[in-house]
Amino acid sequence: MSEEPAHHDCIVIGAGFSGLAVLHHLLAAGFDAVGVDRNDAVGGTWLVNRYPGVRTDSDFPIYSFSFPVAVREEWTWSEQYPTGAEVLAYLQFLANRLGLIDHIQFGREVVRAEYSEHAGLWRVDFASGPSMTCTYLVSCMGILDAPMWPDIPGRDTFAGELLHTADWPVPGVELAGRTVGLIGLGSSGIQIMPLLARDSAALYVFQREPNYVVESSFPAVSAEQMAHIRRTYDDIWRRAAAHPFGVDMVIPEFGADEVSAERRRLIFESKWQEGGHHFANETFHDLATDPRASEHAAEFIRSKIRQIVHDPATAELLSPRRYSFNGKRVPTGHGYYAAYNLPHVHLVDVRTTPIDEVVPAGLRVGARTYPCDVLVCATGFDAMTGPLTRIDIVGRDGRVLREAWRTGVRTNLGLSVHGFPNLLLSLGPQTPYSNLPVPIQLGAQWMARALTFARDHQIVLEATAQSEQWWAEEVERTGRATVMYEEGAKAGAWFLGANVPGKRRELLVYMGGGQVYQQHCMQAELEQYRSFRAQG
Ligand code: NAP
């Protein structure tokens, strides 16, 4: 006779930022909650994306949680934009310090989750090991858990070392004396490029669509700075939670066309010097909403490329012309443009002449074959929906999530889907476009309160069809008010699903602002989750 699967109140899938926050708050609320993760340690995206140069592009105080105070007091950051290794160490510290580690099962890859209406529970099946059941299932699989290889024929024939930035080997890859090819110039490719250039004998960078890169250094955090941050942390967190993009930055007073051309240049210059997302968020308030303002920022960055890159033809090739600033999620560079001045670095335009195939010796582009010993793909992810649609999530009446979303993503606030009772999503599609720890923490706290209410009042949480319709219209309406919608379509942005061949084009994030989103979540709570009570 087969044994009954182990049962828990809650199963939390994933042990990255989201999984740790949700698990902590569910345990604190008295749930019997267990975390499961396919990896062998906590860290999620920061555990697997260990390529050279990986670091956050958010300032350190807001790339962490405000809970609990003990962790804030004990943890010390060393650089303004912490390395991936440091972020991973923070997550491991958090998991150990809060005792979460004892509640997580590793090496447990979820392949299927099915809801039984009759029993009122979810059964979760794994690639290996026994199944489990739970009353509440929470997906914390992250937005970038489904890496994509480029759709280029012949990949399997490559005789050299083939790597993806999202699955970087530990302890690393020997590059000295080797010729390296790099495909992909989003945030990952832009971070790894200068280090590939530094360490290889020759580097070919295969560029399709160029990006607007905001350059930045990463100054050390002093003891005084850290002490000041600790003293003022609650204010920092409050300001970040009140900002549309979840950052502790001041919203500028003026639009880009409300000042003279010279004043505009000076403001752009001062924030360019400050570096990173300060340029995007602290110059003018309309870079994300007014195409003219976004084009002013675009032209400023093109002028910087011309200043930094010595070869005019290379500078021009690096300058986006088909879309304006914010059309793609803005990447931070650390010596990115300057690295093109090195004599052994070659930029190859594969938009005019696309890559034909991977051959054993390297890449064939038109009549020429570029030799590579190592081929690095920084080719992105099936973002937002990919982690949820590549496994079988089966809700009421045998409804499969992947099928339900084939005609368009539908959620209530990105948190819950009609037809999938007692399933909650952390960072589900249609949640804010933001510095992520902020919505992750607020979402985890919302979930703990919602599930407590559901448990205490014996109700099932499931988005109503009406709420999904309302939220889809809000996502569309607010998205269309930004430049991301049209410019993102021109740029092939992942937040529109435009980077995945065959994927439906639709806005996968909420562009209306994190603070507005939180008000909607609060309203749902005040209404005792009425829009999450499809079952009366
Ligand atoms: P991405 O932004 O989707 O970039 C993928 C790149 O691969 C693009 O340059 C794309 O070119 C290129 N590509 C794909 N297929 C190709 C092909 N067949 N031939 C040539 N080029 C091809 O992916 P990502 O860089 O991994 O970044 C994804 C997201 O992860 C970021 O936007 C960010 O949210 C997050 N991230 C954050 C950090 C950080 O915070 N520090 C670091 C890394 C990633 P096209 O543009 O022409 O399609």
Side-chain angles (χ1 to χ4, degrees):
M1 242 175 73
S2 65
E3 271 183 40
E4 283 291 299
H7 180 80
H8 299 274
D9 295 340
C10 313
I11 295 178
V12 177
I13 311 172
F17 262 100
S18 289
L20 296 180
V22 170
L23 191 57
H24 169 70
H25 286 96
L26 292 182
L27 290 168
F31 286 98
D32 158 30
V34 63
V36 293
D37 194 294
R38 69 156 177 269
N39 295 311
D40 56 4
V42 303
T45 194
W46 293 99
L47 184 69
V48 293
N49 285 268
R50 282 197 259 190
Y51 57 84
V54 62
R55 56 175 71 241
T56 80
D57 50 16
S58 297
D59 292 84
F60 70 95
I62 43 129
Y63 208 73
S64 53
F65 296 129
S66 76
F67 71 84
V69 174
V71 170
R72 274 157 46 182
E73 291 297 316
E74 292 166 27
W75 180 259
T76 299
W77 293 103
S78 70
E79 288 176 333
Q80 182 177 356
Y81 301 106
T83 61
E86 193 166 6
V87 175
L88 186 59
Y90 164 75
L91 292 174
Q92 290 172 345
F93 179 78
L94 187 81
N96 286 313
R97 184 68 176 76
L98 299 181
L100 302 174
I101 201 82
D102 302 330
H103 298 270
I104 303 171
Q105 298 180 10
F106 293 105
R108 301 283 269 151
E109 179 176 0
V110 174
V111 291
R112 183 180 173 85
E114 180 161 3
Y115 184 70
S116 160
E117 180 118 55
H118 162 71
L121 47 80
W122 285 89
R123 178 192 167 98
V124 180
D125 298 328
F126 300 87
S128 63
S131 300
M132 298 197 282
T133 59
C134 60
T135 309
Y136 306 112
L137 181 63
V138 188
S139 166
C140 293
M141 291 189 282
I143 65 171
L144 300 171
D145 196 43
M148 293 213 317
W149 290 94
D151 53 343
I152 303 168
R155 191 155 41 91
D156 296 341
T157 69
F158 185 56
E161 202 167 351
L162 181 67
L163 300 163
H164 196 293
T165 43
D167 186 18
W168 200 259
V170 176
V173 180
E174 182 57 56
L175 297 176
R178 302 174 88 186
T179 297
V180 177
L182 171 63
I183 306 176
L185 291 169
S187 299
S188 307
I190 281 155
Q191 286 189 329
I192 199 173
M193 183 270 177
L195 291 154
L196 296 178
R198 186 193 67 188
D199 295 339
S200 64
L203 174 64
Y204 292 107
V205 181
F206 299 94
Q207 173 188 270
R208 207 161 56 181
E209 196 65 57
N211 231 315
Y212 294 101
V213 180
V214 287
E215 289 282 356
S216 181
S217 58
F218 36 88
V221 177
S222 67
E224 294 75 41
Q225 223 180 331
M226 201 63 230
H228 177 71
I229 296 291
R230 288 198 180 107
R231 275 197 308 277
T232 56
Y233 195 85
D234 286 332
D235 292 335
I236 293 172
W237 178 264
R238 239 191 317 277
R239 288 193 298 267
H243 190 284
F245 299 123
V247 291
D248 179 17
M249 293 190 194
V250 178
I251 295 175
E253 199 178 335
F254 296 110
D257 270 320
E258 290 172 328
V259 297
S260 69
E262 179 55 10
R263 178 119 189 88
R264 188 164 55 232
R265 191 189 63 75
L266 288 173
I267 291 173
F268 276 142
E269 181 65 35
S270 77
K271 290 296 167 184
W272 175 268
Q273 295 304 333
E274 206 169 324
H277 286 176
H278 293 272
F279 179 88
N281 291 320
E282 291 188 320
T283 48
F284 299 101
H285 64 67
D286 50 2
L287 297 193
T289 51
D290 182 343
R292 277 175 57 103
S294 136
E295 180 48 33
H296 284 312
E299 188 43 40
F300 179 86
I301 295 182
R302 289 185 208 115
S303 77
K304 282 291 168 194
I305 300 171
R306 289 192 291 272
Q307 273 172 28
I308 300 168
V309 178
H310 300 160
D311 173 40
T314 304
E316 181 51 31
L317 203 50
L318 286 168
S319 301
R321 297 280 175 192
R322 300 203 316 174
Y323 68 98
S324 62
F325 186 71
N326 270 324
K328 287 191 176 218
R329 190 229 187 234
V330 178
T332 300
H334 303 288
Y336 173 72
Y337 289 126
Y340 286 97
N341 293 329
L342 295 169
H344 65 285
V345 174
H346 312 282
L347 183 63
V348 183
D349 170 15
V350 295
R351 192 175 69 204
T352 316
T353 311
I355 302 169
D356 288 299
E357 58 175 339
V358 182
V359 294
L363 281 186
R364 186 169 73 74
V365 182
R368 184 165 171 193
T369 295
Y370 293 88
C372 303
D373 303 312
V374 180
L375 188 54
V376 176
C377 295
T379 40
F381 303 85
D382 180 357
M384 305 302 297
T385 49
L388 292 155
T389 55
R390 73 183 168 166
I391 61 173
D392 295 331
I393 299 181
V394 186
R396 217 159 10 89
D397 307 324
R399 201 177 140 110
V400 179
L401 189 58
R402 169 186 331 113
E403 299 302 325
W405 283 350
R406 215 175 272 293
T407 51
V409 167
R410 286 286 181 277
T411 72
N412 185 13
L413 295 166
L415 288 161
S416 168
V417 184
H418 186 60
F420 296 80
N422 286 339
L423 169 70
L424 290 180
L425 312 177
S426 171
L427 296 187
Q430 305 182 329
T431 46
Y433 188 62
S434 169
N435 166 52
L436 293 178
V438 173
I440 288 173
Q441 175 177 322
L442 296 173
Q445 292 164 341
W446 185 94
M447 280 181 196
R449 294 192 298 273
L451 292 185
T452 302
F453 183 91
R455 178 189 59 190
D456 294 350
H457 294 81
Q458 301 274 299
I459 61 159
V460 170
L461 286 179
E462 178 190 339
T464 62
Q466 297 92 309
S467 70
E468 290 192 333
Q469 182 61 29
W470 160 75
W471 190 238
E473 287 166 12
E474 277 302 290
V475 169
E476 179 78 5
R477 182 184 67 76
T478 51
R480 280 191 183 278
T482 68
V483 300
M484 282 77 155
Y485 209 101
E486 291 201 356
E487 299 304 309
K490 293 180 205 162
W494 59 255
F495 52 70
L496 286 164
N499 64 325
V500 181
K503 189 167 177 175
R504 196 186 150 83
R505 301 287 166 97
E506 61 189 318
L507 196 50
L508 296 169
V509 290
Y510 175 64
M511 294 284 187
Q515 82 290 23
V516 179
Y517 173 81
Q518 295 305 336
Q519 283 167 13
H520 288 307
C521 292
M522 231 181 295
Q523 185 61 30
E525 193 171 342
L526 287 173
E527 293 170 1
Q528 301 200 315
Y529 311 98
R530 195 159 43 94
S531 62
F532 291 88
R533 291 163 75 165
Q535 302 186 29

